[in-house]
Amino acid sequence: REKDANNYFVTQPIFYVNSVPHIGHFYTMVLADTIKRYADLLGKNTKMSGGTDEHGLKIQQAAERANEDTLGFCTRYSDKFRELMAASNASVTDFIRTSDPRHHRAVTHFWELLVERGHIYKGRHEGWYAVSDEAFYTESQIEERVDPATGRRGRFAVESGQPVEWVSEENYKFRLSAFKGRLIEWIETNPDVIYPDIRRNEVLGWLNSGFDDLSVSRPRSRLKWGVPVPNDADHTIYVWVDALVNYATVDSYPWAASSGGKPTFFPPDIQVVGKDIVRFHAVYWPALLMAAGLPLPKRILAHAHWTMGAQKMSKSKGNVVDPFEAIATYGLDPIRYFMIRNGGISDDGDYSSEEVLVRYKKDLIGQLANLASRCLSKSLCVHLDGFRGIAEQQLDHHIDARDVSLRAVLLELPNRVKERFDVGEFGRGLGIVFDALAVANKYVADNEPWMIVKQTDTASKARLQTVLFYSLEAVRLAAIMLQPVMPLKTELLLNHLSVSKSERGWKYARF
């Protein structure tokens, strides 16, 4: 049974607790939150999940090195991600930890379902394994080279650059190869299911090149920190199978008979992930869902990463950005705006303090704040309550030639922005909004309302209110459209414009 059509489910990836959050995590959180808030504006009943991925050999080893209890180690880092979600104003409705008992129950049930449906078997697995990625790689996916950090020669995963080791062990396997045809058909019949196209083409390339069945357990002797394989105490469920099920756990999977076996929000309407984990979400995850007889995600948005000075961020280079410091330095909404405006979907975004300040001064101060402050000046005697009457007068045959250009921009603005927002290209949508504000600022400069206000005749008074109407309509439209990105500042601005809280949805973003 399908969920209610108005229920809209956005997922963040769950973050690995081997380190403190960085600016890339912040970007993912804000991008997912922007999508969720945009759906709110469209009148959807929304849910957004986020959380932490806490199982696996990497975490087990990190806790041992730190001489800490594993759960305590995970909690310490998980709390940091929870703090960042709160600090970033990411409106998560369900925070999930894979160490939660409810998640263990969901993973156990999911595994048993796969076994019952004949998709799990026991075999022997040999291959190159990257502990940092918690993933096996084939011979074609690794390379032999010198590690620049150590100067030693070794083998590394091409995709992630992480070192690999040869592993040979008995484990359980998932019949992934059986789903190759169905996965290709799913992607080709739903061309927008993986976005952007560069990631979609990558996934199709992997599928068409062929692949083996997926190892889905590790020997308990090597990996104790994870969900045990049901009815086999010698094995632990592979961390990625465990982690992916979180998207169902947060919607109360397994769905009880009391709810008619019907999910409330599952499957996700959009899953926001980084480009480095698209294989897990666009190949393994849908194949596992197909095997379990569960519905597939409607869309996977795989965004690009962040660089600094066109170089990959890393601790060794000393170019890692602390998101808590960025928020404290620039303010929450301004840094949210920069991340969404400059962040990449297809191509990596480049972070610099100079660029943050350029966006702040040029866009937020120079365009939005400048337009609003000039037109709301007490000296101009703006009559906000009279704007509705002016709007009704602005029929095609009553339009002053001086207003035609800005009017045309404002009329087409909502649809142009919506086209970009609908596909997740919020940065491009914001560009369209601020281009319109630039036109509005020029309109104010050309019409000089500070000069018109000095005139006392009736025609001048009417002209002044018309100029202010067009100018502040640009501000109102921009404020409504900017709400998903800058929820705090736009609330203040809409309050200042006396826009009713009931008239701030997307349907009111029209001229």
Side-chain angles (χ1 to χ4, degrees):
R1 296 176 59 189
E2 293 189 0
K3 67 179 184 181
D4 187 304
N6 199 51
N7 287 352
Y8 193 86
F9 184 18
V10 182
T11 70
Q12 299 178 22
I14 51 174
F15 301 115
Y16 219 43
V17 291
N18 62 321
S19 171
V20 295
H22 53 64
I23 203 73
H25 297 121
F26 177 63
Y27 176 54
T28 302
M29 290 177 188
V30 173
L31 178 57
D33 183 60
T34 297
I35 293 168
K36 189 260 187 192
R37 290 179 185 274
Y38 174 54
D40 287 334
L41 288 188
L42 295 175
K44 298 289 187 180
N45 178 33
T46 59
K47 178 185 185 74
M48 182 168 75
S49 67
T52 47
D53 182 3
E54 303 181 13
H55 291 146
L57 187 60
K58 183 162 58 172
I59 301 302
Q60 180 179 298
Q61 293 176 345
E64 289 170 356
R65 286 194 299 271
N67 197 27
E68 288 187 50
D69 165 72
T70 312
L71 181 59
F73 177 88
C74 292
T75 299
R76 180 159 62 88
Y77 283 105
S78 181
D79 286 348
K80 286 291 183 184
F81 284 96
R82 197 189 293 263
E83 287 171 22
L84 182 58
M85 286 182 195
S88 63
N89 199 13
S91 46
V92 172
T93 57
D94 199 310
F95 188 93
I96 178 77
R97 297 178 60 182
T98 55
S99 59
D100 290 345
R102 60 171 175 156
H103 183 64
H104 281 226
R105 289 192 295 271
V107 172
T108 299
H109 184 275
F110 190 83
W111 178 278
E112 290 172 339
L113 185 58
L114 294 178
V115 171
E116 179 186 313
R117 293 169 70 95
H119 299 295
I120 301 287
Y121 65 96
K122 206 170 195 178
R124 188 154 196 87
H125 190 85
E126 292 185 335
W128 295 103
Y129 188 76
V131 174
S132 292
D133 300 335
E134 300 280 10
F136 280 97
Y137 291 100
T138 64
E139 198 71 41
S140 64
Q141 294 171 323
I142 67 163
E143 61 183 355
E144 188 173 344
R145 59 174 173 81
V146 174
D147 183 355
T150 65
R152 296 176 182 173
R153 195 162 191 82
R155 289 182 171 87
F156 301 84
V158 174
E159 193 174 327
S160 66
Q162 296 298 325
V164 296
E165 59 185 17
W166 184 259
V167 171
S168 177
E169 61 190 26
E170 182 185 64
N171 55 27
Y172 287 92
K173 293 189 173 186
F174 168 62
R175 300 184 193 278
L176 178 64
S177 57
F179 293 91
K180 174 181 175 179
R182 286 181 62 185
L183 287 167
I184 292 172
E185 182 185 10
W186 171 60
I187 295 169
E188 290 183 341
T189 56
N190 299 280
D192 297 326
V193 75
I194 301 171
Y195 190 85
D197 287 345
I198 188 172
R199 305 296 162 230
R200 175 180 179 271
N201 294 336
E202 277 180 8
V203 173
L204 284 173
W206 294 330
L207 292 171
N208 285 313
S209 66
F211 45 78
D212 299 324
D213 287 346
L214 180 68
S215 172
V216 288
S217 76
R218 303 297 310 277
R220 198 79 179 163
S221 58
R222 292 191 179 185
L223 176 61
K224 295 180 175 63
W225 182 239
V227 181
V229 168
N231 304 313
D232 191 339
D234 294 333
H235 289 266
T236 302
I237 296 174
Y238 173 53
V239 62
W240 270 102
V241 175
D242 167 358
L244 289 165
V245 176
N246 95 85
Y247 303 122
T249 303
V250 293
D251 198 33
S252 303
Y253 179 82
W255 297 294
S258 59
S259 65
K262 177 184 177 182
T264 306
F265 284 90
F266 195 88
D269 291 271
I270 186 162
Q271 300 208 254
V272 179
V273 301
K275 65 180 181 180
D276 56 320
I277 55 174
V278 69
R279 180 197 302 266
F280 300 97
H281 287 82
V283 178
Y284 300 165
W285 177 225
L288 289 164
L289 290 172
M290 288 174 182
L294 297 177
L296 307 185
K298 296 181 180 178
R299 199 149 189 263
I300 298 165
L301 176 63
H303 64 73
H305 291 168
W306 282 88
T307 59
M308 182 178 282
Q311 290 190 328
K312 183 178 179 181
M313 290 187 184
S314 69
K315 290 180 182 177
S316 61
K317 293 177 182 176
N319 63 352
V320 175
V321 179
D322 182 336
F324 293 101
E325 288 184 7
I327 292 169
T329 301
Y330 305 110
L332 176 55
D333 276 6
I335 194 66
R336 279 178 60 114
Y337 172 77
F338 169 78
M339 298 300 290
I340 297 300
R341 181 73 193 268
N342 283 45
I345 301 298
S346 297
D347 302 314
D348 291 346
D350 198 62
Y351 186 97
S352 74
S353 299
E354 293 78 13
E355 279 300 309
V356 178
L357 291 173
V358 166
R359 284 292 179 209
Y360 183 75
K361 293 176 180 177
K362 179 183 175 183
D363 295 355
L364 302 183
I365 300 299
Q367 296 294 350
L368 181 59
N370 181 52
L371 181 61
S373 62
R374 285 202 293 179
C375 296
L376 290 169
S377 170
K378 289 183 179 179
S379 65
L380 294 182
C381 306
V382 62
H383 298 152
L384 292 172
D385 54 355
F387 279 1
R388 194 173 299 276
I390 295 174
E392 291 170 355
Q393 295 170 15
Q394 299 303 302
L395 302 174
D396 289 344
H397 56 280
H398 286 147
I399 299 171
D400 190 300
R402 292 167 290 184
D403 305 330
V404 170
S405 179
L406 178 57
R407 178 184 171 84
V409 168
L410 298 182
L411 281 170
E412 67 176 10
L413 181 63
N415 286 338
R416 290 187 65 210
V417 174
K418 190 173 187 299
E419 283 177 1
R420 304 321 312 159
F421 280 14
D422 281 349
V423 296
E425 293 279 4
F426 289 92
R428 294 181 180 180
L430 293 178
I432 295 169
V433 171
F434 278 86
D435 285 346
L437 289 173
V439 172
N441 270 298
K442 183 178 185 303
Y443 171 83
V444 171
D446 290 345
N447 283 275
E448 300 181 312
W450 49 86
M451 298 300 294
I452 302 175
V453 74
K454 297 176 181 179
Q455 308 303 315
T456 57
D457 60 285
T458 303
S460 294
K461 289 180 178 179
R463 179 60 192 161
L464 173 64
Q465 294 306 314
T466 298
V467 169
L468 294 176
F469 162 71
Y470 275 103
S471 306
L472 289 174
E473 268 296 273
V475 176
R476 183 187 69 86
L477 290 174
I480 289 175
M481 294 175 186
L482 289 170
Q483 286 177 102
V485 182
M486 302 175 59
L488 302 177
K489 295 297 185 184
T490 51
E491 181 179 19
L492 294 175
L493 183 52
L494 289 166
N495 288 345
H496 206 44
L497 291 171
S498 299
V499 177
S500 165
K501 289 187 183 295
S502 64
E503 295 185 350
R504 298 181 183 185
W506 192 268
K507 67 180 180 180
Y508 294 100
R510 63 178 187 273
F511 179 70

